[in-house]
């Protein structure tokens, strides 16, 4: 116990899918400065809808932490994440205004609907805390890794997209993802094999859904 063995094992086993989720052509086009702005706008609109669906999911993880966690500090970690989401929704509205997007009556596209449906399935009381923590960690980490790529030395991210990349690529968000990983790892190490299997399936599903979400944003679906 105390290691990072379970998640590290998955990262190795699923590294190809992980790479597809975190180094998607859409993200690489931001980093390379060649991003199609209509794709970026589509991503912004769709992600606003996603985040609105993500908030109740995070609330459900908070509820499970308060009832089931063996460590009372989990609650503060998740609550901190929720507080950032409050601010994030208003950031989306400001950012969309800048781009001339009203953010009203946005129709969620297929990949977004699939993702939100998956989140709702994890909100059920039957979904165990460990699996939902793994999903939360994976969801946040894909964005953290993706957008931090766009901030690395040598990246040609357009100045008007820097704020977006910093939102998920900054060190504070990185620290939050690390905290989520520690919670997920601790829970996995005390979990029964069946729960570990469920959690691994949720991890794989998040990676697939993230790839589809980027595909949707860049216009190929
Ligand atoms: C699709 N995945 C998607 N949107 C987000 N905002 C995040 C992850 C992370 O917060």
């Amino acid at each position: 116990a105390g290691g990072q063995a379970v998640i590290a094992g998955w990262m190795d086993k699923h590294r190809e899918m992980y790479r597809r989720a975190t180094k998607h052509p859409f993200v690489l086009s931001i980093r390379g400065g060649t991003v199609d702005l209509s794709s970026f706008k589509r991503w912004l609109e769709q992600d606003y809808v996603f985040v609105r669906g993500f908030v109740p999911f995070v609330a459900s993880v908070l509820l499970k932490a308060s009832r089931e966690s063996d460590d009372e500090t989990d609650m503060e970690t998740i609550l901190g994440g929720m507080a950032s989401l409050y601010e994030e929704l208003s950031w989306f509205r400001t950012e969309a205004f800048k781009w001339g997007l009203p953010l009203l009556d946005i129709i969620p596209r297929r990949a977004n609907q699939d993702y939100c449906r998956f989140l709702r399935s994890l909100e059920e009381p039957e979904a165990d805390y460990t699996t939902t923590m793994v999903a939360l960690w994976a969801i946040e980490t894909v964005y953290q890794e993706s957008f931090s790529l766009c901030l690395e030395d040598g990246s040609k991210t357009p100045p008007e997209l820097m704020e977006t990349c910093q939102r998920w690529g900054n060190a504070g968000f990185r620290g939050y993802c690390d905290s989520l990983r520690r919670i997920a790892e601790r829970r996995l190490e005390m979990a029964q094999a069946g729960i570990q299997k469920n959690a691994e399936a949720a991890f794989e599903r998040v990676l697939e859904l993230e790839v589809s979400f980027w595909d949707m944003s860049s216009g190929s679906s």
Side-chain angles (χ1 to χ4, degrees):
Q4 298 270 303
V6 180
I7 290 176
W10 294 349
M11 298 282 250
D12 189 44
K13 182 172 168 194
H14 304 293
R15 63 180 168 276
E16 180 52 25
M17 199 60 196
Y18 189 76
R19 188 196 58 76
R20 291 180 59 205
T22 55
K23 294 189 167 64
H24 190 276
F26 175 69
V27 171
L28 298 178
S29 78
I30 296 175
R31 177 194 161 92
T34 62
V35 60
D36 169 18
L37 289 179
S38 69
S39 297
F40 176 78
K41 290 180 192 174
R42 185 183 309 141
W43 167 80
L44 189 71
E45 287 184 330
Q46 291 292 318
D47 212 46
Y48 173 71
V49 176
F50 174 84
V51 172
R52 294 193 64 92
F54 185 55
V55 169
F57 164 69
V58 182
S60 77
V61 182
L62 181 75
L63 183 64
K64 288 185 171 101
S66 77
R67 291 180 174 167
E68 294 174 43
S69 184
D70 55 298
D71 182 335
E72 60 185 25
T73 67
D74 292 4
M75 182 193 274
E76 274 92 333
T77 300
I78 302 160
L79 187 58
M82 289 206 71
S84 308
L85 288 171
Y86 175 71
E87 191 268 320
E88 189 159 299
L89 287 173
S90 78
W91 174 83
F92 268 103
R93 285 185 289 265
T94 309
E95 186 67 16
F97 182 80
K98 256 172 46 184
W99 292 95
L101 305 168
L103 283 194
L104 281 171
D105 304 322
I106 294 155
I107 297 161
R109 288 175 179 248
R110 179 59 185 272
N112 205 354
Q113 289 174 18
D114 291 348
Y115 210 154
C116 291
R117 192 174 321 112
F118 171 69
L119 293 182
R120 284 197 300 273
S121 74
L122 292 178
E123 288 165 21
E124 299 298 330
E126 294 72 36
D128 72 273
Y129 177 53
T130 303
T131 300
T132 57
M133 263 318 300
V134 162
L136 176 58
W137 159 73
I139 292 165
E140 297 290 38
T141 298
V142 167
Y143 262 42
Q144 198 281 321
E145 291 237 359
S146 297
F147 284 111
S148 63
L149 267 184
C150 304
L151 300 174
E152 280 177 354
D153 285 349
S155 57
K156 301 190 187 75
T157 301
E160 65 272 31
L161 302 191
M162 282 301 279
E163 212 180 282
T164 298
C165 298
Q166 270 152 1
R167 167 156 292 277
W168 289 279
N170 77 74
F173 191 65
R174 169 78 203 246
Y176 173 58
C177 291
D178 290 344
S179 303
L180 295 177
R181 179 171 171 156
R182 280 190 294 273
I183 297 172
E185 182 68 28
R186 186 193 82 235
R187 295 291 307 188
L188 286 164
E189 284 174 12
M190 57 193 265
Q192 292 170 334
I195 291 195
Q196 280 201 12
K197 274 280 148 221
N198 277 343
E200 183 176 3
F203 171 63
E204 292 182 69
R205 186 78 182 120
V206 166
L207 297 180
E208 279 170 16
L209 288 161
E210 288 288 340
V211 171
S212 302
F213 200 94
W214 294 130
D215 286 347
M216 168 195 75
S217 302
S218 41
S220 42
S221 67

